[in-house]
Amino acid sequence: MCNCYKVSTSQNAAISVTDLTKRYGERNAVDHISFEVPRGTICGFVGPNGAGKTTTIRMLLGLVKPTTGEGTVLGEPLTHPERFLGKVGALIEGPAFYPALSGRENLKVLATLGNFPHDRVDQLLDQVGLLDRASSKFKTYSLGMKQRLGIAAALLPSPELLILDEPTNGLDPAGIQEVRELLGHLAGYGLTVLVSSHLLSEIEAIADDLVMLRDGKVLFSGQTKALLTAQQPTVIASSNNPQDLARLVEIATNSGHQAQIVNQSVHVVADATFATSFNKAAFEAGVTLSSLVTALPTLEETFFELTSDN
Amino acid sequence: MIRIFKSEWRKLRRPTLFLGTMVAVVGLTGLISSLLFLLLDSPRGNGREGMMITRETLAMPNGLYVGFANSAGLLGVIALCVFAAQTAIEYTNGTLRNLLVREPRRLLLLAGKYLAMVSFALVTVCFSAIISITISISLAGSKGVSTDQWFTSSAISLFGSTFGNVFLSVIAYGTVGMTLGLLLRSPISSISIAVAWILVIENILSATVSGISKWLPGQLMSAIPVQFGVDFSYSRALVGTSAYLLIFTVAAATLFKRRDVVN
């Protein structure tokens, strides 16, 4: 019997899946999804709770067997995780360690198992700021410290691919900033990072690429910039006189654009070229604008737009 | 395999588990071996289930190891608890996913973990043997038990078979614990169900249903080191235990290999 695997996807992809499905009973937790994560990029993996992000990550790591579909990780088939997991670091659904062992000993359990040099344990503990608490038992760590230990464990194999599921959970703003800088730093060395997060502003700030899921299906897969620029921009106008806002809505509507008052300003669905004629029309109507800007929707707004029932 | 074995030992050697287990082994073996001599003349017996073991029996070449062999059942229960807890805790802590990311060959991981736990059980059996033999030698003189045959060549060769039988029995208990730990994924459930079955239900069944004990795993496993009070032979105990070991091992391996890891 042929045990060969047809790799039909781009060789430049760190992760490539085709028609991947996981069925639990009558429900498809992941429903025929296909996407690629290019090598050397930071790819955001976003979607509402229950969208299938964690199940997909577990399938990529060989923890859950796909019902149908195929894929590759670092060019190796998903059916043979032993061929690629030595080059993959992962933090899945929060940090899981042995409560009665110290942070250092927990990492040594994994370093011994993965045959990684033990010198690396203290280097990584230092890198994530836990060296001074390395001898403390894991159960005494704060949530942020546990999360940082999880990131250190993921970095143990000096990975080519890092898969992080909600890595900023429990971190304070400084910790979130550290993780952001760390990921940017790692991507600079050619590492590929797949990071799932509910903090879409974080993903927008760091992710070159994006995979967006809902109800187990891929809503979008590609460059973050491409997704955002494809969205309709908004011209936002403000006036010092609140009574002028209704007049501005009227001017925009008469020009054939959708407009509404949002937080003491008028939001007009139109591209940047409308701003000049809008400004002129407002001036001619006796309305002086205090500000006029053109904005693309944020990832969060785009996410809600794409994942809303309507 | 060696790195899996060494990794597992990093968990097994933690003081709460290692020292706690050894204290239990020393305490239980010490108690059983001491009572064997201290209750020599008691009408309520000095062995398990009120069994009377005489001076003449203890003076035989295998007399030095009677306390050790009588401790096998409790050593087995300890092994069952350790194997079950060490297996199930990977699910309750969620650490199994970390282990499988670092070693995705599941059967190899299971085999490495199993061998590490078997070696842990070997340490407990060695400890038990040392404690029991020390107590037996210390108490024999004061209780009038002749030790002339204890240090003959035949006595020394008997030690090997006694040790092997105790060890096999302990591993069998441990394997049951590991299988239940994998099946139930909860240390408390797996330990309580196993202990209730072996110590309570099997004893009730054996006392009420004639001839059933030779089919019950707990009765077979405990009969390997101590043949007293059972209605089946040593070879029956050995074959039956081996069959159960095979069934439990195949069940554990199949479960571990095929089941999705969602914890």
Side-chain angles (χ1 to χ4, degrees), chain B residues 61-79:
Chain B
N62 67 341
L64 182 56
Y65 320 124
V66 171
F68 171 53
N70 282 354
S71 306
L74 288 170
L75 290 177
V77 172
I78 290 171

Side-chain angles (χ1 to χ4, degrees), chain A residues 22 58 62-65 82 85 88 92-94 96-99 105 108-109 112-113 116 118 157, chain B residues 3-4 6-7 10-11 13-14 90 93-95 97-102 104 106 109 260-263:
Chain A
K22 183 63 190 181
R58 286 176 185 273
L63 300 173
V64 167
K65 194 176 174 189
E82 72 281 1
L85 282 179
V88 175
I92 317 145
E93 260 196 326
F97 292 100
Y98 305 100
E105 198 59 23
K108 282 187 175 176
V109 167
T112 306
L113 189 60
F116 308 127
H118 282 202
Chain B
R3 54 191 172 76
I4 302 169
K6 285 163 71 179
S7 172
R10 285 195 170 273
K11 292 175 260 173
R13 75 184 189 190
R14 66 183 189 269
E90 303 288 7
N93 282 340
T95 42
R97 57 183 188 246
N98 295 344
L99 302 183
L100 286 172
V101 167
R102 294 284 60 96
R106 294 188 178 195
L109 180 68
D260 286 340
V261 177
V262 293
N263 296 63

